[in-house]
Amino acid sequence: MIVIIALAVAIIVAALLTFSPFARSDAWRATVTPLASIIGSGFLICGPLLAREFGGAAIVAMAALLAVAYAAGWVIRFNIRHVEDHLATARFADPIAWTARVTQGVLALAYAVSVAYYLKLLAEFSLKPIAVDPAWQPLVANVVVTVLIAAMTLLALGGDLRKVEHLAHGTVSIKIGIIAGLLVALGIAWGMGGAAQPLPPARIGWASIPMLLGLIITVQGFETSRYLGHEYPAALRIRTMRHAQWIAAVIYLAFIALLTPFLSRAAQTEGVAGILDIMELIAPALGIFVLAGAVSSQLSAAVADSIGAGGLVNEVSRRHISVPLAFALAGLLAVAVVWLTDPFEVVALSSRAFALFYALQCVLAFAVATRHGIGDWRHRVGFVVVGMICLTAVAVGAPAES
């Protein structure tokens, strides 16, 4: 019954987000781009990882992580309103313009690293149901990811990536539908009292901060609104980015809350694909449900970030490096990250890369606010505080299994 209800909810939500008049509005399309990035893979891995590290305080840790992300989003929304206007008229040698170019270069690198993160998770989820010798699983996962990156790179060099991009974007509604179905399944299981266990003890301490900061990648994605200026006006991007973060926060907190009866079990799962064990505990068929959501979300996010990296490198190089070539360079970096890190390390590495990007966004906001007298001392203090938090994440963000 749980599977049937979850499937029905998934189909209804996916259909509404695909065919309703609202789904075709600019407001929703500008919201769904950052929203899809925020709640993709992070939704699937954060529950077991936080349960393992924080026990009964997992929802508190999730709220803290979302607060850091919302603060970084506040900085980027300021930059959409004010920094974009400054850059539109800035001279080439303007220090703020140069800082913006460095920031774009860092984001391109962060995207390349995140491709490794997304595809590494895709391989982990795909291989979990298969009887692969644990000693060989890391090697098999790395080979799978390398083949996927090579295939995407060949498509890019052949000029056919647009077809893959359209297919990947088409999975967004399906992914959100699947997430809705999973939430409903968890809610029904909790209501029925199935598999409930005593809560693990809450664990909150300074030693947990590096691991929490190492999970920034799980709530990252809102910054995509900053680079949709060619499609939507600033006011719409600011509003829809805020809405995307609100919706994502509700989904994340609801997920952790509904996972409460299973936190003890979640804390005992192994690997980043531990959510599969939890959903299969509720109903075996839900494992296929999770697997479909994982594969679709990782593939769509990997394609989107690969294209983003290629476009940014092309822009930063002032068109000297073509988008396909930049895409290939990002692919090579992603392959290197895949082979040199394990799944937990690549989560932390991706988090550090994006935290550095957010810190540089704080530098841009502070510089423009100071030069043009925008805002007051509270804005400047806020930029400094958020920037310091992000730099701390760069310095100490740790793998979840450290």
Side-chain angles (χ1 to χ4, degrees):
M1 183 187 71
I2 292 178
V3 175
I4 293 172
I5 294 174
L7 183 60
V9 169
I11 292 172
I12 291 171
V13 171
L16 287 174
L17 296 181
T18 303
F19 302 112
S20 68
F22 172 72
R24 294 189 291 272
S25 67
D26 283 348
W28 175 245
R29 285 185 300 195
T31 301
V32 79
T33 299
L35 178 62
S37 296
I38 298 170
I39 65 172
S41 52
F43 174 83
L44 294 167
I45 70 172
C46 67
L49 294 183
L50 291 177
R52 196 178 311 157
E53 183 69 22
F54 296 93
I59 195 167
V60 177
M62 188 75 252
L65 194 59
L66 289 166
V68 171
Y70 195 78
W74 166 69
V75 174
I76 293 179
R77 286 190 288 275
F78 177 91
N79 290 352
I80 289 174
R81 186 178 300 279
H82 300 292
V83 173
E84 286 184 6
D85 289 342
H86 175 87
L87 294 177
T89 58
R91 303 185 314 275
F92 179 79
D94 187 333
I96 293 177
W98 271 105
T99 303
R101 293 184 195 105
V102 172
T103 302
Q104 288 177 308
V106 169
L107 181 59
L109 291 174
Y111 276 153
V113 175
S114 70
V115 169
Y117 157 69
Y118 289 128
L119 293 180
K120 194 94 164 180
L121 289 185
L122 185 154
E124 290 289 322
F125 275 96
S126 301
L127 293 175
K128 192 171 178 65
I130 302 173
V132 178
D133 187 331
W136 287 94
Q137 182 161 338
L139 176 62
V140 174
N142 288 349
V143 171
V144 169
V145 175
T146 303
V147 170
L148 287 172
I149 292 174
M152 291 195 302
T153 302
L154 289 174
L155 285 170
L157 295 175
D160 291 330
L161 188 62
R162 188 62 57 186
K163 296 177 183 177
V164 180
E165 179 187 11
H166 290 162
L167 176 63
H169 289 174
T171 64
V172 170
S173 297
I174 297 174
K175 176 172 65 176
I176 296 176
I178 288 174
I179 288 172
L182 291 176
L183 290 175
V184 170
L186 282 170
I188 295 173
W190 192 6
M192 296 172 63
Q197 298 176 0
L199 276 177
R203 297 187 297 274
I204 301 178
W206 292 108
S208 298
I209 291 178
M211 179 272 187
L212 186 66
L213 293 176
L215 289 177
I216 284 179
I217 185 68
T218 63
V219 290
Q220 162 274 330
F222 49 87
E223 76 286 336
T224 53
S225 295
R226 169 74 173 80
Y227 297 99
L228 294 176
H230 60 289
E231 295 185 36
Y232 308 107
L236 179 63
R237 286 182 287 135
I238 290 170
R239 186 173 71 253
T240 53
M241 188 214 287
R242 188 182 295 115
H243 291 168
Q245 288 196 284
W246 289 348
I247 295 169
V250 170
I251 290 174
Y252 271 115
L253 293 175
F255 175 63
I256 300 296
L258 292 171
L259 196 64
T260 297
F262 310 98
L263 280 180
S264 293
R265 170 72 185 205
Q268 298 167 10
T269 58
E270 297 182 0
V272 292
I275 189 63
L276 272 172
D277 297 333
I278 304 302
M279 301 312 294
E280 288 177 348
L281 181 67
I282 297 172
L286 284 177
I288 299 174
F289 212 62
V290 175
L291 188 60
V295 171
S296 64
S297 63
Q298 306 321 315
L299 185 58
S300 62
V303 171
D305 280 9
S306 295
I307 295 170
L312 281 170
V313 170
N314 174 259
E315 183 176 330
V316 171
S317 68
R318 305 187 73 189
R319 317 301 176 197
H320 288 101
I321 300 177
S322 67
V323 172
L325 179 57
F327 188 101
L329 293 174
L332 288 174
L333 176 59
V335 169
V337 171
V338 164
W339 284 94
L340 294 175
T341 61
D342 65 30
F344 292 99
E345 289 173 336
V346 79
V347 170
L349 183 59
S350 300
S351 292
R352 288 181 170 189
F354 278 101
L356 179 58
F357 167 73
Y358 297 144
L360 289 172
Q361 287 289 314
C362 292
V363 172
L364 282 174
F366 186 90
V368 170
T370 302
R371 179 179 295 189
H372 296 285
I374 301 170
D376 54 26
W377 65 270
R378 288 170 296 185
H379 285 80
R380 292 162 181 74
V381 170
F383 299 147
V384 171
V385 170
V386 176
M388 292 301 296
I389 293 173
C390 293
L391 286 177
T392 301
V394 176
V396 305
E401 292 246 49
S402 61

